[in-house]
Amino acid sequence: MRHSPGQWLRRATVGVLALATMWTSTGSPAAAAAPAPEAESLAFAQRYAALQHGGIVRAANSSISCRASQSSCEGVRSGRAGVNGDFDMFYIDVDRDPNTYNSSRAEIRLPDGSQVTYARLYWGGNLRVGEQKPSEDNGRVLVAEPGGEYKEILADTVVGHRVTDSVDAFQASADVTGLVRQSGPGMYTVAQVNVAAGRSAAGAWGGWTLVVAYENVAQPLRHLALWDGFVPLRSEAAELRLRGARFPADAKGSVGLVAYDGDRGNSGDSLTVTSGSRSGSIPLTGPGNSRDDVLNSTISGPGTSSGARVPAYANTLGYDSDVFDLAGGLPHAGDEATFRLASARDGAWAGVLFAAVDARQ
């Protein structure tokens, strides 16, 4: 078993309380907590729901990419075809801090006058590639708010962690409402996501997504919902229903997802929505996401909904965090909408789905 120098640095960082202060959802320092338990698979369940004027935004980035020294890496980072299993992968580390071995940044954008009502950070990756990372570190990361110092964030819920013949995959999450409410919009840095570097047939992947629900009186009245779990998509689909909500005909909004180890160019994965009592689903597409290849290693969203990222690689090599615009509206009015993420080809995992859909006034 190989250990990177960063692995030892990570352990040192966790012990430095000056850098890593744990925070509760209220934004106050918290006492040390026991590690979150783990489970091989977690069925999707609703994490948050609200009916309010406002919406949902997210910031996201990958934590690992191909080594720049490889001849085709720069082209793939710029958006050319390529999958993680084709490369020797190494950590993204943008913070110039010798005590971290991976770090990346992304921006939360909120309309003026917005109030954060809920925020949750998700992170995950593959622990076994050329090296094997210990699962004990799955439930902790470091987060720096805009202009702030690193604080240790511990998972506050069961961690999804599944080992197969080829991968050792996990997703963890924590309520960070207080931190984001106090800090506001801007660039957030997430470091020490527990991912392994190297090369294997399955490939390395990993990254993080910060999902933020907000209230804003200038925005339409919307049904907001956030679901999470940890589901292998090859064996089952992630299907979520937004029930008891009254949607107008042609309701607009957005739908987002987080998934792991999708391969660009492998068709057979889709995100669809069905509404009302009539049959028939509508496939969702977006910038760089075709209807039958939504798990194609992108961090994307419509228009200016996606903030800045550092680095801003177009091909994130196994990490997907995408937002899709319900540009045509829900196909039918009614009191239920069903969102379904499925993959017939990729050995991928679904981690998060969220939606913000116009409500009937």
Side-chain angles (χ1 to χ4, degrees):
M1 179 174 64
R2 294 194 294 125
H3 299 278
S4 67
Q7 185 171 334
W8 308 122
L9 290 171
R10 180 192 63 247
R11 290 173 177 169
T13 302
V14 168
V16 180
L17 295 181
L19 281 178
T21 302
M22 293 175 291
W23 276 55
T24 67
S25 61
T26 62
S28 302
E38 296 186 344
E40 279 195 4
S41 180
L42 299 175
F44 265 71
Q46 191 168 76
R47 176 71 67 173
Y48 172 81
L51 173 61
Q52 63 192 37
H53 291 271
I56 295 178
V57 295
R58 67 93 176 88
N61 217 331
S62 51
S63 300
I64 195 165
S65 184
C66 51
R67 288 183 185 268
S69 58
Q70 296 169 101
S71 59
S72 58
C73 177
E74 201 58 42
V76 168
R77 287 177 173 179
S78 299
R80 293 180 186 171
V83 298
N84 52 352
D86 292 339
F87 292 96
D88 182 16
M89 303 278 283
F90 198 67
Y91 311 111
I92 295 169
D93 196 10
V94 301
D95 63 6
R96 300 176 182 266
D97 185 337
N99 293 313
T100 65
Y101 75 101
N102 71 58
S103 61
S104 56
R105 296 189 177 101
E107 181 186 15
I108 284 290
R109 288 183 176 174
L110 291 169
D112 291 343
S114 298
Q115 299 294 321
V116 172
T117 56
Y118 187 76
R120 192 162 194 88
L121 178 67
Y122 296 91
W123 64 93
N126 184 7
L127 306 181
R128 186 174 72 229
V129 194
E131 62 180 353
Q132 173 74 54
K133 285 297 180 66
S135 62
E136 289 81 3
D137 291 332
N138 288 350
R140 57 164 59 93
V141 288
L142 300 180
V143 176
E145 71 272 37
E149 300 294 329
Y150 279 130
K151 299 166 180 64
E152 185 179 54
I153 303 295
L154 300 181
D156 61 8
T157 189
V158 176
V159 173
H161 180 203
R162 182 160 182 166
V163 181
T164 73
D165 291 341
S166 58
V167 300
D168 188 347
F170 83 96
Q171 176 180 271
S173 70
D175 183 342
V176 291
T177 305
L179 178 62
V180 178
R181 183 179 290 153
Q182 178 174 306
S183 304
M187 296 290 284
Y188 286 78
T189 306
V190 178
Q192 307 302 76
V193 177
N194 197 26
V195 293
R199 185 169 187 168
S200 71
W205 73 84
W208 59 272
T209 294
L210 174 58
V211 179
V212 179
Y214 67 90
E215 188 171 22
N216 188 309
V217 295
Q219 296 277 308
L221 182 66
R222 293 188 175 113
H223 296 283
L224 309 183
L226 169 64
W227 300 269
D228 56 41
F230 192 62
V231 175
L233 289 174
R234 179 170 289 175
S235 58
E236 56 185 300
E239 185 170 282
L240 295 313
R241 289 179 174 85
L242 188 54
R243 290 191 174 109
R246 293 172 60 81
F247 301 110
D250 300 321
K252 301 297 193 296
S254 60
V255 181
L257 66 83
V258 176
Y260 304 92
D261 201 27
D263 286 335
R264 183 169 298 193
N266 280 2
S267 60
D269 39 67
S270 61
L271 177 64
T272 59
V273 59
T274 305
S275 64
S277 57
R278 304 179 192 180
S279 60
S281 59
I282 302 297
L284 298 180
T285 62
N289 290 276
S290 63
R291 60 187 293 166
D292 65 346
D293 189 18
V294 298
L295 304 185
N296 64 347
S297 300
T298 53
I299 296 174
S300 64
T304 60
S305 65
S306 292
R309 291 187 289 127
V310 181
Y313 298 146
N315 186 335
T316 48
L317 291 170
Y319 187 71
D320 278 278
S321 182
D322 298 309
V323 179
F324 301 85
D325 190 5
L326 290 173
L330 290 179
H332 308 293
D335 59 1
E336 179 175 304
T338 302
F339 307 96
R340 189 174 192 271
L341 175 62
S343 177
R345 300 178 64 89
D346 286 339
W349 279 264
V352 184
L353 282 173
F354 58 87
V357 183
D358 291 349
R360 189 177 300 176
Q361 300 282 351

